[in-house]
Amino acid sequence: MKLDVICAWCQKHLSFKECANFDESLPRISHSICDECRTKVLDDLKQTDTPNRKDKLQLTKERRS
């Protein structure tokens, strides 16, 4: 069974992944992060000077929109 791997941030198709013993009732999609989104997320985290992880996650969510 092949899984379609997509970016969890931008939904861009990344690859197909072969998966043995896969439950047919589950979705055939897996998530990862593309290089472009990973760079943006890491840049956002570097720019955030607050130690509060919740604030950093909010900034990342805003960039996703």
Side-chain angles (χ1 to χ4, degrees):
M1 161 93 35
K2 285 189 179 181
L3 294 177
D4 186 16
V5 182
I6 63 172
C7 177
W9 278 256
C10 70
Q11 314 314 306
K12 180 172 48 174
H13 170 78
L14 300 176
S15 66
F16 287 104
K17 181 177 181 179
E18 194 65 40
C19 186
N21 301 326
F22 185 75
D23 184 351
E24 295 289 331
S25 67
L26 296 174
R28 296 179 183 169
I29 296 175
S30 184
H31 292 85
S32 187
I33 187 168
C34 68
D35 291 336
E36 184 178 321
C37 289
R38 181 177 50 86
T39 300
K40 289 178 186 176
V41 169
L42 291 176
D43 287 346
D44 285 348
L45 291 174
K46 288 176 187 174
Q47 291 174 7
T48 306
D49 58 0
T50 177
N52 188 338
R53 188 174 195 280
K54 194 173 189 179
D55 291 345
K56 290 179 182 182
L57 291 174
Q58 181 60 38
L59 179 62
T60 299
K61 288 179 186 176
E62 291 170 4
R63 289 276 295 206
R64 290 172 82 179
S65 324

